[in-house]
Amino acid sequence: MLSYEQARQIVIEKVASHNRPRATQGVPVWDALGRVLAQELRADRQYPPFDRSTRDGYAVQSAGARAGATLRCAGEIKAGDTVTQPLAAGTCVQIMTGAAAPAGADAVVMIEHTQRDGDSVRFERDAAAGQNIVRRGSEATAGQTLLASGTRLGYVELGLAAQVGAIDLACVRKPRVAILSTGDEVVLADQTPGPFQIRNSNSVSLSAQVRLAGGEPVVLGNAADTMEDLRAKILLGLREDALVLSGGVSMGKYDLVETVLKELGAEFFFDAVAIRPGKPAVFGKCGESFVFGLPGNPVSTMVTFELFAVPAIDLLAGAPPRPLALLEATLSEAMTEKPGLTHFLPARVDWPQGKAEVRPLRWQGSGDIAALAQANCFLVVPSDRDTLARGEAVAVMMRRDLI
Ligand code: AMP
Ligand code: MG
């Protein structure tokens, strides 16, 4: 059986090799968080646009501002002031952070290292050439590419776009991801379930996961465990870039998702992965749409979406697949798990002395969303280990929405 790393690799290869032109749209910079750039972002002018002081202090010629020297203060430059006068020899100018240093000044001495008496300024330390001035064009030259097409826009990239005046950005259209839950026992979350029915939580959590991954969820509701209803609703889902199904992929008599997909001509790239929860996860392609059949137990659905669907949505959005948010932590207690499968267990990681420590949480298995709601990560127990000792270094996969 495939390891989860192998299965992820298959997803990445299959989706990456599916080269379809991607539609683009203009997005206001205010609304573009998480979107993927479909253009280059270039500097519109030199950055900084002038020799910029990074301190409040005095602009000087460093050679004349040695420790103990006194210079006459010839004026003041505030941030935003137009500066035309060069620095006269033997003088200094009071300058504020963000103001343009005058021609001839090669350093700014922090005000804390000076003493002012009327018009004269005494320097307590040697000024060093270049200090506290960022030269015009040293961060970027006009026309320089600052962000490549395909870059995902985080708050830093959006700040950069604003800096260069790019208030409307060409972005890749979000991939549309159909979400279809299945099961005769499932009712919509706004309905009252009968005594042996349950509410559809997967459509809600999957929709949130799709959004978090940068996709546009298209919620199709729930299909009954019949060939007819599944076929009709799967056909609707296949109009989108990807279709994510929950439930109906296990060995039960009414687990019909694979049968229906096969009948519709789907090609399967895997239909089991050596993980728990989530072993019966299915990945394939049907027509032009990628299909994920995720097991219906809510925590299985969540884990398998994170492992396999997120990299596909990244690629469909025109961005490189994000790595899993894995980090290393010290295990707080010994534990035993079934070998041969990689386990993803609800856990809490903390940094008590600045070092990551992880504690597995009690849970009732993959239906137990309440336990996962107390977790901030999944403890990853490797498939080749059945016991782990207290104090061992282990991997944890952070919940993407909490970091
Ligand atoms: P299945 O994968 O169809 O065998 O379902 C596994 C378990 O997940 C069963 O206990 C289902 O009742 C439950 N389940 C299936 N779909 C959903 C859903 N949309 N929301 C919450 N639980 C579900
Ligand atoms: Mg079912």
Side-chain angles (χ1 to χ4, degrees):
M1 211 186 308
L2 295 174
S3 69
Y4 80 91
E5 293 99 331
Q6 288 169 325
R8 264 175 72 85
Q9 205 45 48
I10 289 172
V11 170
I12 289 168
E13 278 161 20
K14 294 296 176 189
V15 183
S17 64
H18 173 75
N19 286 323
R20 269 201 308 189
R22 294 190 181 84
T24 64
Q25 60 181 151
V27 181
V29 70
W30 296 100
D31 301 330
L33 180 65
R35 300 297 297 266
V36 177
L37 258 189
Q39 59 166 82
E40 285 190 331
L41 185 78
R42 293 173 180 275
D44 61 320
R45 56 178 179 163
Q46 309 277 91
Y47 284 94
F50 48 83
D51 295 338
R52 181 175 60 207
S53 173
T54 61
R55 291 284 187 272
D56 296 315
Y58 293 93
V60 298
Q61 265 167 357
S62 56
R66 322 303 301 174
T70 298
L71 295 174
R72 185 173 68 81
C73 181
E76 178 186 286
I77 307 173
K78 301 196 301 293
D81 281 353
T82 302
V83 179
T84 49
Q85 290 278 80
L87 184 70
T91 69
C92 63
V93 172
Q94 187 164 16
I95 193 166
M96 315 303 153
T97 301
D106 69 349
V108 168
V109 177
M110 289 166 69
I111 199 154
E112 293 88 333
H113 300 154
T114 63
Q115 274 178 23
R116 179 90 181 240
D117 183 11
D119 260 1
S120 55
V121 181
R122 196 181 129 83
F123 293 86
E124 295 175 338
R125 309 183 178 190
D126 288 351
Q131 115 194 343
N132 301 327
I133 293 180
V134 181
R135 287 291 171 198
R136 174 170 198 263
S138 63
E139 292 170 359
T141 56
Q144 186 181 326
T145 300
L146 301 174
L147 295 177
S149 182
T151 300
R152 192 176 293 280
L153 298 165
Y155 61 90
V156 176
E157 291 72 21
L158 293 177
L160 185 61
Q163 184 181 60
V164 302
I167 53 151
D168 194 62
L169 297 163
C171 294
V172 180
R173 181 179 62 73
K174 288 185 189 180
R176 290 170 57 91
V177 181
I179 296 169
L180 179 58
S181 97
T182 72
D184 288 342
E185 76 283 29
V186 176
V187 302
L188 297 178
D190 58 2
Q191 291 176 359
T192 307
F196 300 102
Q197 294 181 313
I198 55 159
R199 294 193 184 91
N200 179 357
S201 64
N202 286 343
S203 288
V204 172
S205 58
L206 282 171
S207 174
Q209 285 184 287
V210 166
R211 271 187 219 286
L212 198 60
E216 182 76 46
V218 180
V219 180
L220 299 178
N222 185 70
D225 291 318
T226 65
M227 296 290 286
E228 298 67 38
D229 201 30
L230 277 169
R231 191 184 300 117
K233 288 178 176 150
I234 286 176
L235 279 170
L236 286 179
L238 292 175
R239 296 180 185 171
E240 311 301 345
D241 300 303
L243 165 62
V244 176
L245 291 126
S246 86
V249 291
S250 304
M251 299 300 286
K253 187 173 164 197
Y254 298 99
D255 289 327
L256 301 172
V257 165
E258 269 176 283
T259 313
V260 172
L261 282 169
K262 202 168 289 168
E263 187 201 273
L264 293 172
E267 181 186 0
F268 294 108
F269 306 124
F270 60 75
D271 65 359
V273 186
I275 53 173
R276 185 141 92 184
K279 192 167 117 192
V282 173
F283 169 57
K285 197 172 174 205
C286 196
E288 287 299 291
S289 192
F290 288 99
V291 182
F292 294 88
L294 309 180
N297 261 313
V299 179
S300 314
T301 313
M302 293 171 189
V303 168
T304 49
F305 185 94
E306 174 67 26
L307 293 177
F308 309 123
V310 170
I313 293 173
D314 284 342
L315 286 162
L316 290 169
R322 273 169 283 201
L324 296 174
L326 293 171
L327 55 86
E328 196 182 88
T330 303
L331 186 60
S332 68
E333 59 192 71
M335 49 194 300
T336 305
E337 290 297 334
K338 181 177 186 239
L341 301 170
T342 302
H343 296 257
F344 292 85
L345 305 171
R348 274 207 81 84
V349 65
D350 252 300
W351 287 263
Q353 260 90 49
K355 285 194 66 182
E357 205 177 285
V358 62
R359 178 171 56 88
L361 302 180
R362 303 290 143 239
W363 73 318
Q364 300 304 318
S366 55
D368 194 352
I369 317 181
L372 189 57
Q374 303 304 314
N376 60 1
C377 68
F378 296 91
L379 168 59
V380 186
V381 182
S383 57
D384 58 350
R385 299 290 304 277
D386 46 353
T387 60
L388 294 175
R390 182 196 153 119
E392 259 197 73
V394 293
V396 304
M397 179 173 82
M398 296 305 293
R399 272 181 55 185
R400 197 176 283 284
D401 48 354
L402 297 185
I403 52 165

